[in-house]
Amino acid sequence: MRTISVFLATSFFILLSGCANKKIIRDWEYEDTQAAFKGAEPERALQSFPQKEQHGFVTSIEKAWIGLWAPENKSEGLLAQAKTLDERRFTSVSREAEYFFYSESDDGYIPAEHEIIVMHLLSSMYFLETNQWNAARVEAKKAAFYLQNYFPEHQSHFDDPALRIWLAGIWAALGEWGDAEVDLRKAYELSKNKELLPLLELKQAPAEFSVIFSGTGPAVIWHPDKPLPQFSDQSKAPEFQIQFNTLPWFQRHEVRNSEIRDTVLKSNYMAQYYGLNTKIGATKTTGFVLSSLVRVTGVFLGAAIIAGGIGVAINGGANSAETASHLISGGALVGGSLWDSGGKISDHFDCTSKQIKNEGEEDLKTFRFVRFLPSWIAVSPETPILGALHKELIYAAPNSKTKVHFIQRFL
């Protein structure tokens, strides 16, 4: 009874984790979209975008970023997400001297800090696209709030030069060069990149200013027997004097998930990971039990037949020697055959468990984070000469002295 109960409980757990996994986008389901976006075809990337997780936080940001570079894209989903998160209270988590913040979205996803800030930067750019200057300014202020005003002054927390220069470009487009200087100065303090100093020494706003996004995000590396992936660079650094890698965003994502481990462990992903391991163990156990049963049955059945042959030989009778010989050899054949069958069953279940592991690990590559974001962000006071694989957006509010070029380079 106890064995049956354990079996039913295990099966129920596996069923639950399997059903939940079907609702989440797997790594391989992004392949067509990633190929299209890397090929500078954002329209095709949107067309091939996975259909799961409609209106979720992650997919809303991903589609918004891809769609920014596609004509006639609509941004209602992104703006709805911004409103949803604005209505929530962010929770601060501290470990030693470092502070984190997070808030669940409606779909249960816990956004990384850079993802919340990027959401507001993207919202601001969509308002720039539609000449809604005041609304764009409000979103820029929200991004600035999470970068510099959320925590007490001098309190260690997340900040990033790549996000700062992105925000500086938005301020410049809005005609707020003073605010742009604040973020450029902070980018210098964080990076010590002296190439930023000429921008900080300008007496007035520049006539031209470029923000260049390069690449389409980090590579995701999965390690055997580990439930969470690692991120690494998948594109070489572009040749700009002022540029910053975005890999620290994703590395922070890893660290932050460790700091709020108790919350993350309750997530759908982790349930699936441990469910997979349970399923593999159950399959191996089932194979061992069945193969052992067949082998033992073979031994006993073969032995019984052999014993019958020996009995015939002892008792004598017509053709007793020949009959006994057939029974003994038949018993050995039956026993040996069933032993071999037991071995094949064991091999089959071992193979099946390996298949489950391989397929299950592919199935579990669903660690959620916002993909397609740039690998590098650069700024330049001039418009750079770029290759064919790029898209460009140009914004300047009526009161702005600066024409800002936002450029996506697909590497």
Side-chain angles (χ1 to χ4, degrees), residues 336-355:
S337 177
L338 287 177
W339 183 269
D340 290 341
S341 296
K344 290 178 181 179
I345 289 174
S346 179
D347 292 342
H348 170 75
F349 275 88
D350 283 344
C351 181
T352 301
S353 66
K354 290 177 182 178
Q355 184 178 358

Side-chain angles (χ1 to χ4, degrees), residues 64-78:
W65 175 249
I66 296 171
L68 185 66
W69 309 104
E72 299 182 3
N73 179 66
K74 297 191 180 294
S75 59
E76 286 84 351
L78 174 67

